[in-house]
Amino acid sequence: MKKKLLGALLMVASTATLGEASGFEVALFTGPTIATYKQTFTFAGGSPQVQLARLTVKDAPSIEADGGLAFGAAATFFLSNSFGLEARMDSVDIDLQSFGGNYTLELGPPGSPVTTLPVTLGESQTDLQQVRPWSLNLRFQSQGRVGIGFSGGISYMSAVDITSTPTLTVANLNASFPISLVATPVNPDQTHHMGFNAGVTIQIKIASGFALVGEARGFTFKRSELQWQSTQTGALSTVEKALLSSIAAQLEVPEFTPGFWTARAGLAFRF
């Protein structure tokens, strides 16, 4: 499928000869990102439990993407005055805000616990690595002092890992247990994502060869199936370690879809 899409792009481009080439353009732009990912997690097989210790879920854990700034660079080889091939690199800042959830920790026989304690797996900022898609597009650009353009095509992005470091806190015990939950691809051979991008641009010429650029663009990629791995970053008792392992084993797998929208402004130069 990927080869067919790339072949189609090159086939369309080949309809214009090099003799018809009408210039080269480079552009730089920046602006905000609107991320689209949000997921609330459930526990498979009920509440995590180990021996006589059980966690009852009150508020389910969740992860929500929050977009920051996006930077981009594009180079277009125009095969005619209005049509060309565009290669672009985008660097997108996306943070994932995780909420670990609220629980009740029961110690003792099921149905008649000896002790019941509130537990929180606290909020944390989650790092998302390598959100830098590379794209190859077909581009159409109208001419005039104010020009409207459209470009779209295929995008490539390296695989991502999600790292979360919430703190497990047990009320009334004055105890906090720092832990780390890392979501990595289920398939270790998954090293990239293929997807699509499309955008609309407005250009306003300001000087010979130079133009102000406004752009709205969306990216979508194949869903990534991840798995949780837990590690402790502080001292935990045997029961606490077992509960942590149970949480990681039963917590719903994150199905991360790295899609986002950008709205950016910048400067283009055509020569």
Side-chain angles (χ1 to χ4, degrees), residues 83-139:
F83 168 73
L85 279 179
E86 177 187 60
R88 58 186 299 132
M89 188 280 291
D90 295 274
S91 179
V92 183
D93 180 15
I94 296 180
D95 294 323
L96 297 180
Q97 187 67 36
S98 62
F99 171 63
N102 292 319
Y103 312 85
T104 298
L105 177 62
E106 296 182 351
L107 301 176
S112 55
V114 175
T115 304
T116 301
L117 298 171
V119 175
T120 59
L121 191 58
E123 297 182 0
S124 72
Q125 195 70 20
T126 303
D127 297 323
L128 185 61
Q129 305 295 331
Q130 297 181 341
V131 189
R132 297 184 180 91
W134 296 79
S135 305
L136 178 62
N137 299 335
L138 297 179
R139 179 179 170 191

Side-chain angles (χ1 to χ4, degrees), residues 178-197:
I179 63 174
S180 175
L181 291 173
V182 180
T184 58
V186 172
N187 181 4
D189 295 327
Q190 181 185 10
T191 59
H192 64 273
H193 298 276
M194 296 299 298
F196 300 92
N197 80 96

Side-chain angles (χ1 to χ4, degrees), residues 5-21 77-80 83-86 136-140:
L5 288 171
L6 183 57
L9 288 173
L10 296 177
M11 185 179 298
V12 173
S14 67
T15 60
T17 66
L18 291 177
E20 298 172 324
F77 177 59
F78 282 96
L79 302 170
S80 67
F83 168 73
L85 279 179
E86 177 187 60
L136 178 62
N137 299 335
L138 297 179
R139 179 179 170 191
F140 300 88

Side-chain angles (χ1 to χ4, degrees), residues 28-40:
L28 299 172
F29 29 76
T30 185
T33 301
I34 302 173
T36 59
Y37 171 71
K38 182 177 182 180
Q39 185 175 357
T40 299

Side-chain angles (χ1 to χ4, degrees), residues 17 41 52 68 70 99 128 148 157 165-166 177 181 210 243 246 248 257:
T17 66
F41 301 95
L52 296 181
F99 171 63
L128 185 61
I148 306 297
M157 186 176 69
T165 54
F177 309 110
L181 291 173
F210 288 93
L243 278 174
S246 181
T257 305

Side-chain angles (χ1 to χ4, degrees), residues 1 10-11 27 48 56 69-70 74 77 93 105 122 150-151 168 170 185 196 221-222 230 241 244 250 254 263:
M1 181 65 179
L10 296 177
M11 185 179 298
T56 301
L69 280 178
F77 177 59
D93 180 15
L105 177 62
F150 171 82
S151 68
L168 181 65
V170 180
F196 300 92
F221 295 89
K222 182 180 178 181
S230 62
K241 291 178 183 178
L244 175 58
Q250 293 181 240

Side-chain angles (χ1 to χ4, degrees), residues 48-89:
Q49 56 184 335
V50 177
Q51 298 175 356
L52 296 181
R54 293 170 304 285
L55 278 179
T56 301
V57 181
K58 296 175 63 179
D59 297 312
S62 63
I63 293 180
E64 182 174 2
D66 182 23
L69 280 178
F71 299 91
T76 303
F77 177 59
F78 282 96
L79 302 170
S80 67
N81 202 34
S82 302
F83 168 73
L85 279 179
E86 177 187 60
R88 58 186 299 132
M89 188 280 291

